Amino acid sequence: MTTRADRLRVGVIGLGVGEQHIAGYRSRAACDVTMLCDLSDDKVTMAREKYPHTHVTQRPEDVLDNPDIDVVSIASYDDGHHEQAVRALRNGKHVFVEKPLCLHEHEAREIRMLLSANPRLRLSSNLILRMCPRFRLLRQMIRNGDFGRLFYLEGDYNYGRLHKLTQGWRGRLPFYSVTYGGGVHMVDLLLWLADAPVTEVAAQGNRVASAGSGFRYNDFAVALLRFEGGVIGKVAANFGCVCPHFHRLTVYGTEATFENGPESGLLYRSREAAVAPERITAAYPGVQKGDLIGSFVDSILKGEPAEVTTEHVFRAMSVCFAIEKAVQASAPVAVEYL
Ligand SMILES: NC(=O)c1ccc[n+]([C@@H]2O[C@H](COP(=O)([O-])OP(=O)(O)OC[C@H]3O[C@@H](n4cnc5c(N)ncnc54)[C@H](O)[C@@H]3O)[C@@H](O)[C@H]2O)c1
């Protein structure tokens, strides 16, 4: 591979949310998005018109095997991530991969092994809620001690788009997990806010909301998480909810409680009903899906830690794998960190 230390040549695979990856790389002067790939004829036609100075292909291997590509951004369907990440890493490329990193624990182990064998390579994943201004402020307040000691965090990924399971590609995959596909965002958020690993999970799931649709997997899963140090968390991946897309987040500490709302967050500093909560008006969600790309690029070019490091990706996925196992077993499962 011909690597230039000061510039990165990028290939993006999958042009749905992948288009937002393109925007993320384009916001960095050191990046040239030189190749785009999508299986669909329509997307290829669109890409040729919209991005005339890139090479557009329908064959992922043209990107993954190209010695003139330094970074591969993977935004294909969930079941394409593992194979594409492995091939890119084997070919010495840095990888930014949409969540979920992969769909099976053995796949994650293989990716881990390839990264260990080549520590120069960077891998990150689009766990984008960390870039939400309101959640960043919340984290800063937790760090500043405003919440006292945390004891309970609750995060519901209310998807509000059931049709994407019942009519879209998610329902056509050989395997789909709402925990990997959506819950992972809340798992990462809670890990990031609590700043402690999860040691054990208990979980249940069902498929009431999508019953009769032909969707074969749970459309709902909820997990209780025990964090090291005693904090308890609850994460739900709720794909059937009748409400708009929303990240329900509540954080309880000994000195304050935060509750996210669509317009503003509420910060309670008193148990008295007469004391009104403060309104936290920092933007929510307030992010574009390419907003993590800049820090990923800096992690490659400047050696700085990315906002979402490889460790963070594996940590969140390890908890998600444990949740999926706990749902299947209907029994608590210890988290095994990959
Ligand atoms: N981080 C986030 O918040 C976020 C948001 C949306 C989607 N995603 C993830 O991004 C991925 C794509 O989702 P989407 O919403 O963009 O879907 P989409 O259907 O809008 O777009 C996906 C595109 O990828 C193409 N594609 C699929 N498999 C391919 C392959 N093997 N090689 C090349 N192209 C392929 C499809 O033709 C399609 O055009 C999924 O893994 C999803 O979970 C993440």
Side-chain angles (χ1 to χ4, degrees):
M1 186 178 116
T2 53
T3 305
R4 295 171 293 178
D6 56 344
R7 295 200 69 75
L8 295 173
R9 295 154 299 180
V10 180
V12 178
I13 302 177
L15 299 176
V17 75
E19 279 207 87
Q20 299 196 46
H21 293 202
I22 299 172
Y25 291 108
R26 286 187 153 190
S27 71
R28 290 285 156 144
C31 296
D32 300 314
V33 178
T34 56
M35 290 191 85
L36 301 176
C37 171
D38 202 292
L39 301 179
S40 125
D41 294 343
D42 289 351
K43 287 288 172 78
V44 163
T45 304
M46 174 281 291
R48 290 202 169 115
E49 283 170 13
K50 194 165 166 187
Y51 307 101
H53 301 299
T54 57
H55 178 75
V56 182
T57 174
Q58 284 180 296
R59 294 163 26 104
E61 56 273 25
D62 290 348
V63 179
L64 298 164
D65 298 346
N66 188 330
D68 293 327
I69 289 290
D70 305 304
V71 176
V72 178
S73 230
I74 299 171
S76 50
Y77 302 148
D78 296 9
D79 64 338
H81 297 180
H82 162 254
E83 191 187 332
Q84 292 174 351
V86 162
R87 193 152 171 169
L89 292 171
R90 281 196 204 285
N91 286 329
K93 301 176 195 320
H94 307 283
V95 170
F96 186 82
V97 55
E98 265 306 338
K99 55 78 203 164
L101 170 68
C102 56
L103 293 177
H104 302 285
E105 219 169 320
H106 68 270
E107 296 176 345
R109 285 187 202 286
E110 187 182 8
I111 295 171
R112 186 60 138 172
M113 202 187 63
L114 287 167
L115 286 164
S116 302
N118 196 343
R120 181 188 69 79
L121 295 180
R122 297 284 170 267
L123 177 143
S124 186
S125 188
N126 211 8
L127 299 168
I128 192 67
L129 291 182
R130 289 170 180 228
M131 297 304 281
C132 163
R134 193 176 299 166
F135 297 158
R136 291 182 84 78
L137 176 63
L138 173 65
R139 184 170 187 260
Q140 195 51 54
M141 292 174 76
I142 294 170
R143 294 289 169 280
N144 292 347
D146 289 33
F147 281 75
R149 288 191 61 203
L150 297 185
F151 58 91
Y152 180 49
L153 297 93
E154 201 179 22
D156 292 350
Y157 186 81
N158 283 351
Y159 193 49
R161 299 163 183 161
L162 185 61
H163 65 279
K164 290 209 177 193
L165 292 189
T166 57
Q167 292 160 40
W169 57 261
R170 289 167 179 81
R172 293 193 289 271
L173 298 186
F175 170 67
Y176 189 79
S177 160
V178 290
T179 296
Y180 304 167
V184 66
H185 280 300
M186 304 315 287
V187 166
D188 180 65
L189 191 66
L190 264 55
L191 285 163
W192 181 70
L193 292 172
D195 200 22
V198 173
T199 54
E200 189 181 74
V201 306
Q204 297 286 337
N206 66 27
R207 63 183 82 164
V208 175
S210 60
S213 70
F215 183 69
R216 292 164 293 157
Y217 306 100
N218 287 334
D219 54 58
F220 175 78
V222 59
L224 282 180
L225 319 176
R226 173 172 288 282
F227 288 81
E228 198 173 277
V231 174
I232 304 289
K234 187 211 89 177
V235 164
N238 186 346
F239 277 47
C241 57
V242 182
C243 59
H245 191 71
F246 183 62
H247 306 96
R248 259 195 83 237
L249 177 69
T250 314
V251 174
Y252 297 89
T254 51
E255 302 295 330
T257 298
F258 168 86
E259 196 179 317
N260 196 30
E263 305 302 328
S264 59
L266 296 180
L267 182 70
Y268 296 86
R269 293 187 192 269
S270 168
R271 296 182 174 98
E272 301 301 326
V275 180
E278 292 169 30
R279 289 198 176 275
I280 306 288
T281 54
Y284 162 84
V287 283
Q288 301 296 322
K289 294 277 165 37
D291 285 356
L292 280 169
I293 300 269
S295 90
F296 170 63
V297 166
D298 288 346
S299 78
I300 300 169
L301 292 176
K302 301 180 188 167
E304 294 170 0
E307 178 67 42
V308 176
T309 64
T310 304
E311 286 310 310
H312 295 142
V313 177
F314 280 91
R315 198 175 63 169
M317 285 307 301
S318 300
V319 175
C320 289
F321 287 134
I323 292 174
E324 192 64 39
K325 274 189 220 164
V327 169
Q328 301 306 328
S330 243
V333 169
V335 179
E336 193 185 334
Y337 283 95
L338 296 162

